[in-house]
Amino acid sequence: MGKVTGFKEFERQDEAYTPVKDRVKHYKEFTVPLSDSEITKQGSRCMDCGIPFCHSGCPLGNLIPDFNHMVHQGEWQKASWILHSTNNFPEFTGRLCPAPCEQSCVLGIIEDPVSIENIEKNIVERAFKEGWIKPQPPKTRTGKTIAIVGSGPAGLAAAQQLNRAGHTVTVFERDDEIGGLLRYGIPNFKLEKEIIDRRIAILEAEGITFKVNVNVGVNYDVKALKDFDAVVLCGGATERRSLPTPGIDADGVVQAMDFLTQQTKVVFGKEVKDQVLATDKDVIVIGGGDTGSDCIGTSNRQGAKSVTNFEIMPKPPGHRSPTTPWPFWPLQLKTSSSHQEGVERNWLINTKEFITDANGKLTALKTVNVEWKMVPGERPQLIEIEGTEKTWPCDLALLALGFTGPESTLADQLGIEKDARSNYKAEYGKYQTNIPNIFTAGDMRRGQSLIVWAISEGREAARQVDIYLMGKSDLPSKNMSGDLVPL
Ligand SMILES: Cc1cc2nc3c(=O)[nH]c(=O)nc-3n(C[C@H](O)[C@H](O)[C@H](O)COP(=O)(O)OP(=O)(O)OC[C@H]3O[C@@H](n4cnc5c(N)ncnc54)[C@H](O)[C@@H]3O)c2cc1C
Ligand code: SF4
């Protein structure tokens, strides 16, 4: 424990943001880092409590009090070693994780929790700056070959772990760049893409082969996967949700992922034909989650005339709801940096129609206010409130409704079983599909989720692949039940 009275002496400090008027003019990150001495103080707020609930709050099982202690001691290199022992890519989680660990921090019961996520970011950035993060190629090779399909955080974590175990790893990615949703989903102003490139350079130097523009099952025959001793499918959950609403095909109703991907490509000088732009438009973003928030930030940067957000669920409470007590993830209103940049947020509202002109161009949205009827033992029922119909001028509607599950191409061609939610079926802790040498991890296995879960699943799946190939594994595990049992 860094300082016995640290949590009494120091208040939580978070990174500031540059002013809205400046940051909406560009697509770069806009956080203002805290000084090293301030981060050291923040580390000392950790109470090193008897049972650190943050360990189980973090899906990676990050050793949070241990790295907090090292930061407070000024032992940054040791902090980096501890952090990397459970997390392959803290530079992603340190920027983008919703930090369930902080919601289960014991200090959070009476005070603001320890700023764990920001400490994590500072440790890894310091480590890169000092040159402590170096390629660690394996000393010997096993002669076993592994194909990883998909280069999101799950595929990258699995690749790094399996390569470290001495296997020869090839990662196939259908996009023109590595990174999955880190690359083309999450906007550059939340994660500058150089941060991904910096890590990929390390993975390449460790001996991992990356093949882009390879769409397995489309321009690469799945039969060729038979040349590998094992395969890990990490293709994400990319099947986009739509609405069964009249006018959905109107010119001006656009999937959020198309809008976001195009903008990131343009930032990097790639050719995008007929880019969808929010410039001078009345934009309505349908969907109140992270993707919706990213669309709001991007629309404001493109110079939208107005930005409005619709969410069909009720407005969450401003503070932790009693239905989600500590240490659980709270049901609570989230206001992101993109929301702060300008948006009118509406809850309990449903889109009834996309209205078009004679040329099929979107001109307005017709909505109705709704309420949810809760009957114990039954599914919540959506009730429209009579007399609340409203028409909203709109020339760009962005559908940020999430994903229904993974695409079925690979499952169909390889004969992989799916679960009731259409995810690729593999038991948690085992990651093995019905085909013994094919494993799956990340959003493809668990459905739309988080980066931290993708990294965790990639790591754990790697260990299971290693056990499958070698009969045992020295790769680390969170020791979830079932993990240690050879398959
Ligand atoms: C807009 C947006 C914002 C988000 N923001 C956050 C956030 O702030 N914090 C957070 O924690 N999470 C966030 N998420 C969720 C997070 O990005 C995902 O949970 C995470 O990326 C899942 O990782 P993955 O590796 O399982 O899959 P993905 O990142 O989806 O990667 C899958 C990869 O597989 C490739 N692929 C698929 N099929 C094939 C094939 N047949 N052949 C070759 N390649 C294939 C795809 O092209 C893709 O690159 C966000 C998601 C979106 C859409
Ligand atoms: S990865 Fe996320 S949950 Fe885990 S310690 Fe970091 S911020 Fe917390």
Side-chain angles (χ1 to χ4, degrees), residues 96-98 149-155 172-175 179-182 185-186 190 214-216 234-238 257 260 290-291 294 403 410 441-444 449-452 454:
L96 297 163
C97 190
V149 182
S151 70
F172 296 105
E173 171 54 57
R174 68 182 172 193
D175 277 338
L181 289 174
L182 300 174
I186 294 164
K190 274 175 62 183
V214 178
N215 194 346
V216 179
C234 300
T238 43
M257 277 304 296
L260 294 172
D290 275 343
T291 307
D294 292 344
F403 302 88
L410 289 168
D443 281 7
M444 190 162 238
S449 185
L450 296 172
I451 296 161
V452 63

Side-chain angles (χ1 to χ4, degrees), residues 54-55 57-64 67 83 87 90 93-94 96-102 116-118 120 452 455:
C54 55
H55 276 195
C58 172
L60 284 159
N62 272 355
L63 304 169
I64 296 161
F67 65 63
L83 179 56
N87 187 353
T93 48
L96 297 163
C97 190
C101 55
E102 294 184 14
I116 301 166
E117 183 187 11
N118 192 234
E120 188 173 329
V452 63
I455 299 173

Side-chain angles (χ1 to χ4, degrees), residues 314-335:
K315 183 176 182 181
H319 297 285
R320 188 188 273 277
S321 149
T323 58
T324 51
W326 180 93
F328 295 110
W329 177 250
L331 172 67
Q332 190 176 330
L333 180 67
K334 249 180 86 179
T335 300

Side-chain angles (χ1 to χ4, degrees), residues 215-387:
N215 194 346
V216 179
V218 178
N219 64 8
Y220 179 98
D221 196 331
V222 291
K223 287 192 197 110
L225 293 177
K226 288 202 166 56
D227 296 342
F228 294 88
D229 293 302
V231 177
V232 192
L233 303 176
C234 300
T238 43
E239 204 65 73
R240 300 147 182 204
R241 185 172 277 122
S242 187
L243 285 173
T245 306
I248 187 79
D249 295 327
D251 176 9
V253 181
V254 175
Q255 277 284 351
M257 277 304 296
D258 291 334
F259 177 69
L260 294 172
T261 303
Q262 287 182 2
Q263 183 53 55
T264 300
K265 289 197 164 173
V266 168
V267 168
F268 288 90
K270 294 182 190 263
E271 199 194 330
V272 173
K273 265 182 121 186
D274 304 323
Q275 185 190 2
V276 176
L277 283 168
T279 318
D280 298 327
K281 289 184 181 157
D282 289 311
V283 179
I284 296 183
V285 178
I286 305 178
D290 275 343
T291 307
S293 161
D294 292 344
C295 288
I296 292 163
T298 304
S299 298
N300 278 319
R301 277 163 184 73
Q302 290 182 355
K305 195 189 333 166
S306 70
V307 185
T308 305
N309 188 206
F310 291 166
E311 170 57 53
I312 202 164
M313 298 307 288
K315 183 176 182 181
H319 297 285
R320 188 188 273 277
S321 149
T323 58
T324 51
W326 180 93
F328 295 110
W329 177 250
L331 172 67
Q332 190 176 330
L333 180 67
K334 249 180 86 179
T335 300
S336 69
S337 56
S338 291
H339 292 131
Q340 291 165 357
E341 289 162 8
V343 60
E344 184 200 320
R345 298 170 84 180
N346 299 271
W347 286 267
L348 289 170
I349 189 162
N350 192 19
T351 305
K352 296 286 288 175
E353 189 183 347
F354 295 94
I355 301 168
T356 60
D357 64 15
N359 299 319
K361 237 176 147 355
L362 183 70
T363 56
L365 259 61
K366 194 192 279 179
T367 63
V368 63
N369 293 353
V370 295
E371 60 187 7
W372 289 92
K373 192 173 158 200
M374 306 301 235
V375 180
E378 287 179 23
R379 286 168 75 99
Q381 242 184 299
L382 186 69
I383 313 280
E384 294 188 354
I385 303 172
E386 234 177 85

